Amino acid sequence: MAKNLLNRVLSRFVEIKPGEEVIASLLFLYLFLIMFPYYIIKPYRDAKYLIELTSARLPYAYLLTALFMGFFVHFYTKLQVRIQRRVLIISSVTFFALTCLLSRWLFNLDLSWMPLAFWVWANTFVVVLITQFWILVNDIFNPREVKRLIGFFGSGGLFGGILGGLLTGLLGRDMPDIVLIIASGLLVLSIFVVNHIFIWQRKKSPPDDKVDHKHRERGAEQVKVGFIDCFNTVRKNYYLKLLAGVVTLTFIVSTFIDWQSKTVIDIKIERMDEKLEFFGFFHAALLVIPFFISIFMSSNILKRYGIRVTLLLFPLVLLLCIFGIGYRPEIFVFALAIKAGDKSLSFSINQYVRELLYIPISPELKYKAKVFIDMFLNRFAKGVGALILLFLVYIFLPPENWQWDWRDKVQLVSIIAVIFIGAWLLLNLKVSKEYTNIVKQKLDVKWDRGDRLVAEKMDVDYTKLVFDTIESRERSSVLYAMHLYDLIKQDKLTPEVRKLISYKADERRVASLGGLFESGETTLIPETDDMLGEEVLEKEVQEIMSLDVYQEVMKGYIDKVLVDKTNETKTSKMEVAKAIGLMESDSPLAQKLEELLEDESPEVSKYAIESAARLKRRELVPGLIYKLDNPLTREDASAALEKYGERIVGTLSDYLGDYDEDVGLRKEVASVLARIPIQDSADLLAWELAEENEDMDNELIDALDRIRSGQPDIQVQAEIIKTKIFKEIKRYYQILINSYETKSEVKRPEMSGKLSEDLAASMMNIFKLLGLIYPHEDIFRAYQNIRTATKDSIDYAVELLDNILPKDIRDVIFPLIEDLSLEERVKKCRVLFKAFPKMQ
């Protein structure tokens, strides 16, 4: 009951599914109890440092933090291997809670080095605890779940930051020392929340800790795990290198912005209590906008615009802010605006999308990469930024040169920041593209088109010729001899084929033309050392068949055979049809194939079709097309027309668009066009698909899919296909809604099978259509995993589509494929079905 109530409450703010309410709430509270104390500590850190060391020495703080994090990460990776994650996180929180109290006592001793040490400690605090939080999120959720929920539990951290900043602002002027005690107490509370998260995780699934007991027993491997191992993990992976580059540029720019804003604030505000009060309220105010963005907009922004656009949003906003402070550094509002732009998005959209980029990475790479990138590299980047600032502030524009003041330095840093933001934008585009490839690798190809597999793995014509040769041995020695000659002509009479077709050769001897192959041995085909060479034989036969005398004799024989309508001449007609195919294309006898194509015997027609395919005479094309209507000759006629190639595409188009022709024949013509994969074929099929002839839709869609699967570079007219996609999706909605309403009124189990088939066929057509205008392999990889795989594979398939398809298509297709209950799916389909006239 309590869980249902919690689910109903949360569902008003976030798209949450049953069973997710507990873990989402725990993660919300966990991040809240990390960021609340941090935003108490952060204003205290800033105020203490600026009062005692001034903004001029900020680069030293950035640099020292970067150096310290290098040693710390090496130490931390050793701990990560030896300690279970639950123990590691709780131990880390306990350590920072105790050292927070210790820091308060040390500050009372007025130690000169304490502000710098506290700066490094505070940065280590946030890096370690935030990285541990996001690693835990990566363990629990897949990309689709994160996109729905990240805004909610991320807003917990922002809400905590707001309260922490407000509390510091309120207490900073009168009771500054008490704030660190409050921060320590909040960290202690977070320990209980962390423990409950691991209890929930253990109940829901087996523990998936990177380091288990077996790892702790493998001391030899533990020695290898450290800073260098984490570095090599990133260095050897292209995607991780891109991520590392993005993070590096992000924090270099952030360092510039932090220095610019603090320089202006340090000049405008002088007293310690005023600084502490200002920073407290300022940091709280900074988080108000990202809090509302996080809880109400972040998931929608990610869904609506995708990862690529969302990645570009943060640097573009900072670019605008940098133009402002670079133009007029003395205006205090610009200093506040640039810091607000940095923090409002870095702790909301930018943080969320960066964490989303980690999720498809395998666990063994992910944990090492996050430790190196999120713990070390972001602080190292700040160190690089500090070195650049030191060069600009103290070398390029030295303080002793009084013609340069702080305004000039702020402007110069703005110019350098613009250059880094340009590089950052380019890397963001690359990493978003590579993210799609990483998601794709999570999806296995389950099957391929049968016709494509056959074409790739088998020479159909050769196989048919061999079997026809074997079959003809029992029917006619003339046919057999011509088949042997055909094999020789095509240079395919291999030793293996010789052995196969000569099996039990003593049962028959070849006469007539077959005498050329006859010998006194038991085999019908002796070795070529004892006979004419195959090349010589081919030349001799061709010369004989081209003689005018031979042509006259054959013409008389063919006329005699064709006049005889009795069934006894069937074999003779087969021999004639085969013989014509061995002649030259310009032979007058080739005209006789038209009559042989019309023969009632499918066997005679098949030989005539085979010869027509060899000669490729245009006048034979209509006869071949009508042979598509007969199931017995359909495949042979299709193969023959395919051999004509692109020169008969126009003729096929005439039959395809002729509504007086039988629909079955037109469907087969569409299939033949698919076997001639050129741009004209695709255009003709697409134009016919636009004619709204539902009887032809399945065949036209399949034909276009066959072309695209073999030739992905061929383009299909997008407007025609998009219109058809929407209509097919609408049809799917209609089938689903009607079937749901029918089942609600009366149970009809006999209909369920057909309805299921109709839905499956419609879904297949939708994805075939999508594959015509979007990357074909990616679309079908996603489709196959949606149809046959596990929940995680389905979610990754949807995530892949989310990065391929435009928003208007995503909005209408995702309700069909996402993990929804039947009632919820039907409800969404009803709403979208009513909105379809407006959407098209």
Side-chain angles (χ1 to χ4, degrees):
M1 181 66 73
K3 288 183 180 180
N4 291 336
L5 178 61
L6 181 60
N7 186 277
R8 287 198 297 272
V9 172
L10 293 181
S11 62
R12 296 179 181 179
F13 305 100
V14 63
E15 186 183 345
I16 196 165
K17 295 183 179 180
E20 295 175 339
E21 59 280 337
V22 173
I23 188 60
S25 301
L26 287 171
L27 289 169
F28 177 96
L29 193 56
Y30 178 19
L31 194 54
F32 172 84
L33 290 172
I34 293 174
M35 298 305 289
F36 195 155
Y38 175 65
Y39 272 87
I40 293 173
I41 293 166
K42 185 176 182 178
Y44 197 90
R45 177 203 70 181
D46 292 348
K48 279 286 187 182
Y49 194 93
L50 292 179
I51 285 295
E52 299 191 25
L53 299 176
T54 75
S55 62
R57 296 182 180 178
L58 277 174
Y60 297 111
Y62 302 145
L63 190 57
L64 183 61
T65 302
L67 294 172
F68 175 79
M69 287 305 298
F71 294 104
F72 181 82
V73 167
H74 180 73
F75 169 73
Y76 183 85
T77 52
K78 300 288 187 182
L79 289 179
Q80 184 175 249
V81 174
R82 291 170 169 81
I83 302 175
Q84 288 184 344
R85 190 166 301 123
R86 182 179 68 86
V87 177
L88 182 61
I89 292 176
I90 292 175
S91 300
S92 300
V93 175
T94 304
F95 169 78
F96 286 113
L98 293 174
T99 50
C100 186
L101 287 175
L102 179 63
S103 298
R104 178 183 178 277
W105 177 72
L106 291 173
F107 271 120
N108 291 334
L109 298 178
D110 292 328
L111 301 171
S112 60
W113 50 266
M114 191 56 198
L116 183 58
F118 190 72
W119 180 285
V120 174
W121 175 88
N123 280 284
T124 307
F125 164 92
V126 70
V127 167
V128 171
L129 296 189
I130 291 298
T131 300
Q132 288 176 342
F133 171 82
W134 289 114
I135 285 177
L136 197 55
V137 170
N138 273 259
D139 283 345
I140 295 171
F141 298 112
N142 63 45
R144 299 304 299 172
E145 293 166 336
V146 168
K147 276 190 175 180
R148 285 189 294 104
L149 300 173
I150 195 169
F152 172 68
F153 49 70
S155 64
L158 295 170
F159 185 53
I162 292 170
L163 294 183
L166 288 174
L167 183 65
T168 307
L170 292 170
L171 300 179
R173 187 180 292 270
D174 301 321
M175 295 181 292
D177 292 336
I178 198 174
V179 293
L180 293 184
I181 298 175
I182 296 172
S184 182
L186 291 167
L187 287 172
V188 172
L189 290 177
S190 70
I191 294 172
F192 298 97
V193 177
V194 171
N195 193 51
H196 275 82
I197 290 173
F198 279 96
I199 291 173
W200 179 92
Q201 194 177 20
R202 190 163 54 247
K203 287 180 179 178
K204 289 293 180 180
S205 60
D208 186 23
D209 208 316
K210 183 176 183 296
V211 183
D212 55 17
H213 295 288
K214 291 182 180 179
H215 281 82
R216 276 176 269 149
E217 294 171 0
R218 290 160 57 185
E221 287 193 21
Q222 291 172 2
V223 177
K224 297 179 183 178
V225 177
F227 178 81
I228 299 300
D229 189 50
C230 294
F231 168 73
N232 287 331
T233 298
V234 175
R235 182 179 61 84
K236 295 176 181 178
N237 186 289
Y238 177 67
Y239 180 63
L240 292 177
K241 283 193 290 187
L242 288 176
L243 274 179
V246 168
V247 169
T248 300
L249 292 173
T250 300
F251 282 94
I252 288 175
V253 173
S254 179
T255 303
F256 295 159
I257 290 171
D258 190 58
W259 179 84
Q260 288 177 309
S261 61
K262 283 188 170 69
T263 297
V264 177
I265 292 168
D266 191 30
I267 291 170
K268 301 290 184 180
I269 304 173
E270 297 180 355
R271 289 169 48 190
M272 165 66 189
D273 57 345
E274 290 177 346
K275 277 186 168 67
L276 184 57
E277 182 183 24
F278 169 79
F279 279 122
F281 286 125
F282 180 59
H283 287 309
L286 283 182
L287 298 180
V288 172
I289 294 175
F291 171 75
F292 286 105
I293 290 175
S294 180
I295 197 167
F296 295 114
M297 297 174 61
S298 58
S299 294
N300 289 330
I301 290 172
L302 282 167
K303 285 183 177 180
R304 183 181 182 87
Y305 299 108
I307 283 180
R308 173 168 294 191
V309 174
T310 309
L311 275 171
L312 298 178
L313 180 63
F314 185 36
L316 289 174
V317 169
L318 293 186
L319 191 61
L320 291 174
C321 294
I322 282 174
F323 285 143
I325 198 171
Y327 176 64
R328 295 292 296 274
E330 69 276 6
I331 298 179
F332 192 53
V333 173
F334 284 154
L336 301 182
I338 195 170
K339 190 65 177 176
D342 180 23
K343 295 306 175 186
S344 63
L345 292 177
S346 66
F347 286 132
S348 57
I349 292 296
N350 189 63
Q351 177 73 48
Y352 302 157
V353 75
R354 198 168 75 231
E355 294 303 327
L356 190 60
L357 294 173
Y358 279 110
I359 292 179
I361 303 171
S362 61
E364 61 270 18
L365 297 179
K366 183 188 305 179
Y367 302 129
K368 294 179 183 178
K370 282 191 72 66
V371 168
F372 178 78
I373 295 173
D374 290 356
M375 283 190 177
F376 168 73
L377 196 58
N378 64 5
R379 297 301 146 177
F380 174 78
K382 281 187 169 288
V384 173
L387 289 174
I388 296 172
L389 287 172
L390 286 171
F391 172 78
L392 294 175
V393 174
Y394 292 102
I395 299 176
F396 191 75
L397 299 178
E400 59 270 16
N401 191 336
W402 295 106
Q403 64 177 326
W404 304 107
D405 65 5
W406 65 271
R407 296 175 185 82
D408 300 307
K409 296 173 183 178
V410 170
Q411 289 176 329
L412 180 60
V413 170
S414 295
I415 294 171
I416 302 301
V418 168
I419 297 172
F420 278 92
I421 289 176
W424 181 10
L425 287 167
L426 290 175
L427 271 186
N428 276 346
L429 291 173
K430 287 188 176 183
V431 81
S432 63
K433 181 179 180 180
E434 191 63 22
Y435 170 79
T436 303
N437 294 332
I438 295 295
V439 171
K440 194 191 310 181
Q441 291 171 16
K442 289 283 185 178
L443 305 173
D444 297 326
V445 176
K446 307 295 181 181
W447 67 82
D448 203 346
R449 286 188 63 107
D451 48 23
R452 185 177 173 183
L453 284 174
V454 170
E456 289 177 353
K457 298 182 181 296
M458 184 177 181
D459 187 337
V460 177
D461 290 338
Y462 179 36
T463 305
K464 182 177 181 298
L465 179 57
V466 171
F467 279 96
D468 285 348
T469 303
I470 296 171
E471 188 273 337
S472 67
R473 188 178 59 199
E474 304 297 327
R475 180 184 292 277
S476 162
S477 59
V478 174
L479 276 178
Y480 181 48
M482 285 191 286
H483 278 108
L484 290 176
Y485 170 68
D486 210 353
L487 284 168
I488 292 172
K489 186 178 179 181
Q490 297 184 38
D491 196 25
K492 291 181 178 178
L493 191 59
T494 63
E496 293 79 11
V497 173
R498 289 172 179 272
K499 183 175 180 181
L500 177 66
I501 63 179
S502 299
Y503 183 65
K504 294 184 179 179
D506 56 334
E507 295 179 1
R508 181 177 294 270
R509 289 290 182 267
V510 182
S512 184
L513 185 60
L516 290 170
F517 303 94
E518 189 174 3
S519 74
E521 305 291 332
T522 56
T523 176
L524 290 177
I525 310 169
E527 295 297 325
T528 55
D529 291 343
D530 302 326
M531 56 177 288
L532 286 173
E534 291 176 358
E535 292 184 3
V536 176
L537 174 63
E538 179 184 347
K539 183 179 179 182
E540 296 273 346
V541 172
Q542 284 292 347
E543 287 179 356
I544 293 172
M545 297 182 76
S546 63
L547 292 174
D548 292 339
V549 175
Y550 178 81
Q551 293 283 319
E552 286 296 324
V553 172
M554 284 297 296
K555 181 178 182 302
Y557 178 71
I558 291 172
D559 289 339
K560 179 181 176 182
V561 169
L562 292 179
V563 168
D564 191 345
K565 301 297 182 182
T566 64
N567 194 45
E568 296 177 359
T569 61
K570 183 172 75 171
T571 300
S572 298
K573 290 179 180 179
M574 293 164 64
E575 294 170 350
V576 166
K578 179 70 177 177
I580 293 174
L582 297 175
M583 299 176 185
E584 296 297 325
S585 177
D586 56 357
S587 171
L589 298 178
Q591 298 175 1
K592 302 296 182 178
L593 282 177
E594 291 187 61
E595 189 172 346
L596 290 167
L597 283 172
E598 296 174 1
D599 196 89
E600 295 179 356
S601 168
E603 292 172 296
V604 173
S605 293
K606 284 182 179 182
Y607 276 98
I609 291 169
E610 179 187 319
S611 293
R614 290 173 181 272
L615 302 180
K616 298 184 180 66
R617 292 175 65 114
R618 184 173 288 276
E619 66 269 19
L620 301 175
V621 172
L624 290 173
I625 290 175
Y626 282 112
K627 283 299 173 182
L628 295 170
D629 234 358
N630 187 341
L632 296 176
T633 57
R634 181 174 297 153
E635 180 54 37
D636 294 288
S638 295
L641 290 167
E642 179 185 358
K643 288 183 173 65
Y644 274 81
E646 59 185 270
R647 64 196 187 101
I648 64 163
V649 166
T651 304
L652 292 171
S653 172
D654 293 338
Y655 282 88
L656 180 68
D658 189 348
Y659 289 88
D660 292 331
E661 293 289 354
D662 180 69
V663 172
L665 178 65
R666 293 171 60 215
K667 289 179 179 180
E668 296 304 324
V669 169
S671 178
V672 173
L673 280 170
R675 299 173 75 150
I676 308 173
I678 60 172
Q679 187 63 55
D680 286 348
S681 299
D683 290 340
L684 293 168
L685 290 165
W687 291 334
E688 188 61 31
L689 188 63
E691 293 298 321
E692 298 300 325
N693 186 350
E694 291 187 3
D695 291 339
M696 293 284 294
D697 279 357
N698 289 343
E699 285 70 23
L700 292 169
I701 293 170
D702 186 70
L704 285 166
D705 174 66
R706 181 172 179 177
I707 290 175
R708 277 278 288 179
S709 65
Q711 300 290 334
D713 293 335
I714 288 178
Q715 301 299 311
V716 185
Q717 297 177 58
E719 287 305 314
I720 293 175
I721 302 305
K722 283 191 76 171
T723 301
K724 203 67 183 178
I725 288 170
F726 283 116
K727 289 185 177 180
E728 191 63 39
I729 291 174
K730 187 175 181 181
R731 177 173 172 268
Y732 188 101
Y733 286 172
Q734 202 160 18
I735 296 171
L736 181 65
I737 293 167
N738 290 343
S739 66
Y740 181 78
E741 291 174 348
T742 301
K743 288 180 180 179
S744 299
E745 295 172 6
V746 57
K747 291 185 178 180
R748 297 182 181 179
E750 70 279 2
M751 294 179 62
S752 60
K754 185 178 185 309
L755 286 169
S756 178
E757 289 176 6
D758 289 344
L759 289 172
S762 180
M763 180 65 76
M764 181 178 283
N765 278 344
I766 291 169
F767 275 86
K768 284 181 178 179
L769 288 165
L770 290 171
L772 299 180
I773 54 177
Y774 303 107
H776 187 274
E777 181 185 349
D778 296 350
I779 293 293
F780 268 82
R781 191 185 292 262
Y783 170 71
Q784 291 171 6
N785 281 269
I786 288 168
R787 286 294 308 272
T788 64
T790 63
K791 179 182 179 299
D792 273 354
S793 293
I794 292 172
D795 283 342
Y796 275 111
V798 176
E799 180 66 15
L800 177 60
L801 294 174
D802 198 12
N803 288 275
I804 294 174
L805 303 178
K807 181 182 180 300
D808 56 344
I809 293 181
R810 293 200 308 264
D811 287 347
V812 293
I813 197 174
F814 278 10
L816 306 182
I817 57 181
E818 285 186 318
D819 183 22
L820 303 172
S821 65
L822 179 60
E823 292 77 10
E824 191 176 358
R825 194 186 308 279
V826 171
K827 182 179 177 182
K828 286 192 173 186
C829 288
R830 280 177 178 151
V831 173
L832 291 168
F833 186 79
K834 292 177 182 177
F836 248 100
K838 300 176 183 178
M839 296 166 62
Q840 293 184 50

